[in-house]
Coordinates of all heavy atoms in Angstrom, one line a residue:
C66 N 78.3 103.3 90.5 CA 78.2 102.1 89.7 C 78.2 100.9 90.7 O 79.0 100.9 91.6 CB 79.5 102.0 88.8 SG 79.5 100.5 87.9
P67 N 77.3 99.9 90.4 CA 77.2 98.8 91.3 C 78.4 97.8 91.2 O 78.6 97.0 92.1 CB 75.9 98.1 90.8 CG 75.8 98.4 89.4 CD 76.4 99.8 89.3
L68 N 79.3 97.9 90.2 CA 80.4 97.0 90.1 C 81.6 97.4 90.9 O 82.2 96.6 91.7 CB 80.8 96.8 88.7 CG 79.8 96.1 87.7 CD1 80.4 95.9 86.3 CD2 79.3 94.8 88.3
H69 N 82.1 98.6 90.8 CA 83.3 99.0 91.4 C 83.2 100.4 92.1 O 84.3 101.0 92.3 CB 84.5 99.0 90.4 CG 84.7 97.7 89.8 ND1 84.2 97.3 88.6 CD2 85.4 96.6 90.3 CE1 84.6 96.1 88.3 NE2 85.3 95.6 89.4
N70 N 82.0 100.9 92.4 CA 81.8 102.1 93.2 C 82.3 103.4 92.5 O 82.5 104.4 93.2 CB 82.4 102.0 94.6 CG 81.6 100.9 95.4 OD1 80.4 100.8 95.3 ND2 82.4 100.2 96.2
W71 N 82.4 103.4 91.2 CA 82.7 104.7 90.6 C 81.5 105.6 90.7 O 80.4 105.1 90.5 CB 83.0 104.4 89.1 CG 84.4 104.0 88.8 CD1 85.2 103.2 89.5 CD2 85.2 104.4 87.6 NE1 86.4 103.0 88.8 CE2 86.4 103.7 87.7 CE3 84.9 105.2 86.5 CZ2 87.4 103.9 86.7 CZ3 85.9 105.3 85.6 CH2 87.1 104.7 85.7
R72 N 81.7 106.8 91.0 CA 80.6 107.8 91.0 C 80.6 108.6 89.7 O 81.6 109.1 89.3 CB 80.8 108.8 92.2 CG 80.5 108.1 93.5 CD 80.7 109.1 94.7 NE 81.6 110.1 94.2 CZ 81.6 111.4 94.5 NH1 80.8 111.8 95.4 NH2 82.4 112.3 94.0
I73 N 79.4 108.6 89.1 CA 79.2 109.3 87.8 C 78.3 110.4 88.0 O 77.2 110.3 88.6 CB 78.7 108.3 86.8 CG1 79.5 107.0 86.7 CG2 78.5 108.9 85.4 CD1 80.9 107.2 86.2
S74 N 78.6 111.6 87.4 CA 77.7 112.8 87.5 C 76.5 112.5 86.5 O 76.7 112.2 85.4 CB 78.5 114.0 87.0 OG 77.6 115.1 86.8
L75 N 75.3 112.7 87.1 CA 74.1 112.6 86.2 C 74.0 113.8 85.3 O 73.3 113.7 84.3 CB 72.9 112.5 87.1 CG 72.8 111.2 87.9 CD1 71.6 111.3 88.9 CD2 72.7 110.0 87.1
I76 N 74.7 114.9 85.6 CA 74.6 116.1 84.9 C 75.5 116.1 83.7 O 75.1 116.4 82.5 CB 74.9 117.3 85.7 CG1 73.8 117.5 86.8 CG2 74.9 118.6 84.9 CD1 74.2 118.5 87.9
T77 N 76.8 115.7 83.9 CA 77.8 115.7 82.8 C 78.2 114.4 82.3 O 78.8 114.3 81.2 CB 79.1 116.4 83.3 OG1 79.7 115.5 84.4 CG2 78.8 117.8 83.9
G78 N 77.9 113.3 83.0 CA 78.3 111.9 82.6 C 79.8 111.6 83.0 O 80.2 110.5 82.8
E79 N 80.5 112.6 83.6 CA 81.9 112.4 83.9 C 82.0 111.6 85.2 O 81.3 111.8 86.2 CB 82.5 113.8 84.2 CG 82.7 114.6 82.9 CD 83.8 114.2 82.0 OE1 84.7 113.6 82.5 OE2 83.6 114.5 80.8
A80 N 83.1 110.8 85.2 CA 83.5 110.1 86.5 C 84.0 111.1 87.4 O 84.7 112.0 87.0 CB 84.5 109.0 86.2
L81 N 83.7 111.0 88.7 CA 84.1 111.9 89.7 C 85.3 111.4 90.5 O 85.6 110.2 90.6 CB 83.0 112.3 90.6 CG 81.7 112.8 89.9 CD1 80.6 113.0 90.9 CD2 82.0 114.1 89.2
G82 N 86.0 112.3 91.2 CA 87.1 111.9 92.0 C 88.3 111.7 91.1 O 88.5 112.3 90.1
E83 N 89.1 110.7 91.5 CA 90.3 110.3 90.8 C 90.0 109.5 89.5 O 90.9 109.2 88.7 CB 91.3 109.6 91.7 CG 91.8 110.6 92.7 CD 92.9 109.9 93.6 OE1 93.5 108.9 93.1 OE2 93.1 110.4 94.7
D84 N 88.8 108.9 89.4 CA 88.4 108.1 88.3 C 88.3 108.9 87.0 O 87.9 110.1 87.1 CB 87.1 107.3 88.6 CG 87.3 106.4 89.8 OD1 88.3 105.8 90.0 OD2 86.3 106.4 90.6
K85 N 88.6 108.3 85.9 CA 88.6 109.0 84.6 C 87.7 108.3 83.7 O 87.7 107.1 83.6 CB 90.0 109.2 84.0 CG 91.0 109.9 84.9 CD 90.6 111.4 85.0 CE 91.6 112.1 85.8 NZ 91.1 113.0 86.7
G86 N 86.8 109.0 82.9 CA 85.9 108.4 82.0 C 84.7 109.2 81.9 O 84.4 110.1 82.7
C87 N 83.9 109.0 80.9 CA 82.7 109.7 80.6 C 81.6 108.8 80.0 O 81.9 108.0 79.2 CB 82.9 110.9 79.8 SG 81.6 112.1 79.6
V88 N 80.4 109.0 80.4 CA 79.2 108.3 79.8 C 78.4 109.3 79.0 O 78.2 110.5 79.5 CB 78.3 107.8 81.0 CG1 77.1 107.1 80.4 CG2 79.1 106.9 81.9
P89 N 77.9 109.0 77.8 CA 77.1 109.9 77.1 C 75.8 110.3 77.8 O 75.2 109.5 78.4 CB 76.8 109.1 75.8 CG 77.9 108.2 75.6 CD 78.2 107.8 77.0
V90 N 75.6 111.6 77.8 CA 74.4 112.2 78.5 C 73.3 112.4 77.4 O 73.6 112.8 76.3 CB 74.7 113.5 79.1 CG1 73.5 114.2 79.7 CG2 75.8 113.4 80.2
I91 N 72.1 112.0 77.8 CA 70.9 112.2 76.9 C 70.1 113.4 77.4 O 69.7 113.4 78.6 CB 70.0 110.9 76.9 CG1 70.8 109.6 76.7 CG2 68.9 111.0 75.9 CD1 71.6 109.5 75.4
P92 N 69.8 114.4 76.6 CA 69.0 115.5 77.0 C 67.6 115.1 77.5 O 67.0 114.2 76.9 CB 68.9 116.4 75.8 CG 70.0 116.0 74.9 CD 70.2 114.5 75.2
V93 N 67.2 115.7 78.6 CA 65.9 115.4 79.2 C 65.1 116.7 79.4 O 65.7 117.7 79.8 CB 66.0 114.6 80.5 CG1 64.7 114.4 81.2 CG2 66.7 113.3 80.3
K94 N 63.8 116.7 79.2 CA 63.0 117.7 79.6 C 61.7 117.1 80.1 O 61.3 116.0 79.7 CB 62.8 118.8 78.6 CG 61.9 118.4 77.4 CD 61.8 119.6 76.4 CE 60.9 119.3 75.2 NZ 60.8 120.5 74.4
I95 N 61.0 117.9 81.0 CA 59.7 117.4 81.5 C 58.6 118.4 80.9 O 58.8 119.6 80.9 CB 59.6 117.5 83.0 CG1 60.8 116.7 83.6 CG2 58.3 117.0 83.5 CD1 60.8 115.3 83.3
D96 N 57.6 117.8 80.3 CA 56.5 118.6 79.7 C 55.2 118.0 80.1 O 54.9 116.8 79.7 CB 56.7 118.6 78.2 CG 55.7 119.6 77.5 OD1 55.0 120.4 78.2 OD2 55.6 119.5 76.2

Side-chain angles (χ1 to χ4, degrees):
C66 177
L68 295 185
H69 298 100
N70 294 322
W71 277 37
R72 288 180 337 148
I73 308 297
S74 168
L75 295 174
I76 298 169
T77 65
E79 292 284 335
L81 303 175
E83 294 184 21
D84 299 322
K85 301 292 182 222
C87 189
V88 177
V90 174
I91 312 300
V93 174
K94 70 178 182 177
I95 307 300
D96 186 11

